[in-house]
Amino acid sequence: MKNRYTSMFLLGIIGCFVNVIAHALPHLQSMTDKELSSVTGQALMSLSYIAPTDANNLESSRLGGDTNTGFYRLGMEAKLELNANIKKLQLGCGGVNGPGGCDIDFDNVSLSGLKLDSNGNPLPMTRAERASSSAELTNPYIEFAIRNPNSAATREVVGIRLGSELANGLLTIGENNGTINGINSLSGYMNIASTTGTTQTAAGNLTQTITGRVNVGGCISGCPVGFTTDNKPLSIPSMPVTFNTKSSDVVGVRQTFATVGASAKVPSILLTENSGSRTANMPGCFWVLIAPLCNYKINDLRINGSIDNLYVDVNLQQSLGLIHSIPIKSPLSLSLQKQRILWPDAPRSPVTNQYVTAEAGWWLAANDPIKLGALATAPGFTADISSAYPQVATIVSNYLYANPLYVPFGDAVGSIFTSKLVANVKSVDLDKYTNPALGGSPVRVNLKDLPLGAVQDVTSNCYGGLKFC
């Protein structure tokens, strides 16, 4: 644990309280009872207590919680403004969570004001705007978790929390330079709100066998006939894809990545004669007019058409070191506890609908979802979706079995002499197979560590030309 940073932070909070009181004292004047009776107002400082038996004590009602812990809160009924830069923030290094890491480990941390659009999404800020703005902390407080609060002999401080009922500002960590940096580890909780994004898929080769059935013009018996291709590569072009992420939680001790779910609809995958050639085998016999064809084989099968309405579920494992710009408009707290504690007003996950318990050690928590804005991968980056190709081949095979290809009689006869056939399949529509709205099962794709574009760029929180100050 970096005690120096902890002491400075605690002294700063206490100093705010002392400074306000010191400025107020020289101006205090005595008032008569009559004058007092005609005055209404609100105290600058407030003190509250939640007893272990109080119905609002979340820790006592938590399954496995400590039923002998009460909570004392000293709050300031005011709004504080803060603009700060911290080169290195480390808390809980070693400690209760073991050697070899820190509970919280951030590089190049900046806190400033925040600009939002009408939908609550962050807007870009210039260097001067950041440096001249301040984050706002509404009703800051310091809170103590006391075990056995009614016993002078056995009472014990088991946790301390610093927070505000609302924090409004832009927190940036590290630098968006394509490398993993900034958030090295995070102990705590935040929910990443659902959003939209775009990426470019990488070109690839489908090398899986495709099966199906075919109807031949002039066939009088044995059609549709089944076919199986070999696994020669079919070129899949690069395509722009729009995706929608799902609400996801980052929660736990010394977390280094977030698991984010997303859904997407892939644009039409165009296949042409130049996409590749395959061999197709048709076992068995079928009759075309007066001639039987048995164990028919096409050595050069090419396809003209498209694969349409392919829905995809993406499982993205994203390093926290690729998230650099975090707009905050939420109750926010930083706590240190010797045991698991469910603090009053703890965040409630929109994913699980459960209150989030702080783990032992340092813990940073934002109650409300974090809106990162519309995400786009960095220019030049392409996402490898080849893990979906085997599933695509299976679904296309199912489609071609239920919807047999049609080959005109003339093309079929021509292929006998040339062993080449160009199949015009038009559209292989996978809507009912992969669209969840129609009862389909989307294709699963696993992605990892997408470098994000301009929405995660970090504007310096300094005047002049300094990168960090």
Side-chain angles (χ1 to χ4, degrees), residues 173 183 192 258 318-326 372 452 456:
I173 308 171
I183 302 179
I192 301 175
Q318 184 76 354
S319 171
L320 297 180
L322 293 171
I323 299 175
H324 304 287
S325 183
I326 304 175
L372 296 179
L452 299 175
Q456 287 297 303

Side-chain angles (χ1 to χ4, degrees), residues 182-433:
I183 302 179
N184 303 312
S185 66
L186 169 66
S187 295
Y189 168 80
M190 69 175 176
N191 174 265
I192 301 175
S194 58
T195 187
T196 60
T198 57
T199 191
Q200 187 80 16
T201 66
N205 290 312
L206 191 150
T207 58
Q208 286 72 35
T209 296
I210 294 177
T211 62
R213 297 189 297 170
V214 61
N215 270 319
V216 179
C219 180
I220 58 176
S221 176
C223 291
V225 61
F227 71 88
T228 300
T229 74
D230 61 11
N231 59 0
K232 294 189 186 79
L234 292 178
S235 297
I236 304 297
S238 173
M239 299 165 289
V241 174
T242 298
F243 58 85
N244 298 292
T245 67
K246 303 170 185 177
S247 173
S248 59
D249 287 340
V250 180
V251 59
V253 174
R254 299 183 181 179
Q255 295 293 294
T256 58
F257 64 89
T259 300
V260 180
S263 59
K265 180 182 176 183
V266 177
S268 294
I269 301 175
L270 298 178
L271 299 174
T272 69
E273 292 184 50
N274 297 323
S275 297
S277 168
R278 286 197 166 186
T279 298
N281 293 294
M282 302 178 189
C285 296
F286 61 99
W287 284 77
V288 180
L289 295 181
I290 59 173
L293 294 176
C294 295
N295 298 319
Y296 186 54
K297 180 179 181 180
I298 301 174
N299 291 320
D300 187 2
L301 174 65
R302 298 172 184 264
I303 297 176
N304 270 333
S306 62
I307 300 174
D308 300 315
N309 295 317
L310 175 64
Y311 288 79
V312 175
D313 265 350
V314 180
N315 182 64
L316 171 62
Q317 183 175 298
Q318 184 76 354
S319 171
L320 297 180
L322 293 171
I323 299 175
H324 304 287
S325 183
I326 304 175
I328 298 174
K329 194 170 185 180
S330 165
L332 187 69
S333 64
L334 175 66
S335 61
L336 173 63
Q337 46 278 319
K338 65 176 294 185
Q339 63 189 43
R340 300 186 76 221
I341 293 178
L342 184 53
W343 290 93
D345 305 320
R348 190 166 191 161
S349 165
V351 177
T352 65
N353 198 32
Q354 300 293 321
Y355 288 108
V356 179
T357 303
E359 301 291 340
W362 286 94
W363 188 264
L364 179 64
N367 286 40
D368 297 335
I370 303 297
K371 296 182 178 181
L372 296 179
L375 303 177
T377 52
F381 174 81
T382 56
D384 181 5
I385 63 170
S386 60
S387 61
Y389 290 172
Q391 303 165 73
V392 171
T394 298
I395 296 171
V396 169
S397 295
N398 292 337
Y399 175 90
L400 293 178
Y401 185 86
N403 303 273
L405 288 172
Y406 177 74
V407 177
F409 175 72
D411 292 349
V413 172
S415 69
I416 296 175
F417 300 100
T418 64
S419 197
K420 177 180 179 180
L421 176 65
V422 177
N424 295 300
V425 300
K426 296 183 180 179
S427 173
V428 177
D429 189 350
L430 304 184
D431 201 24
K432 76 173 185 177
Y433 294 87

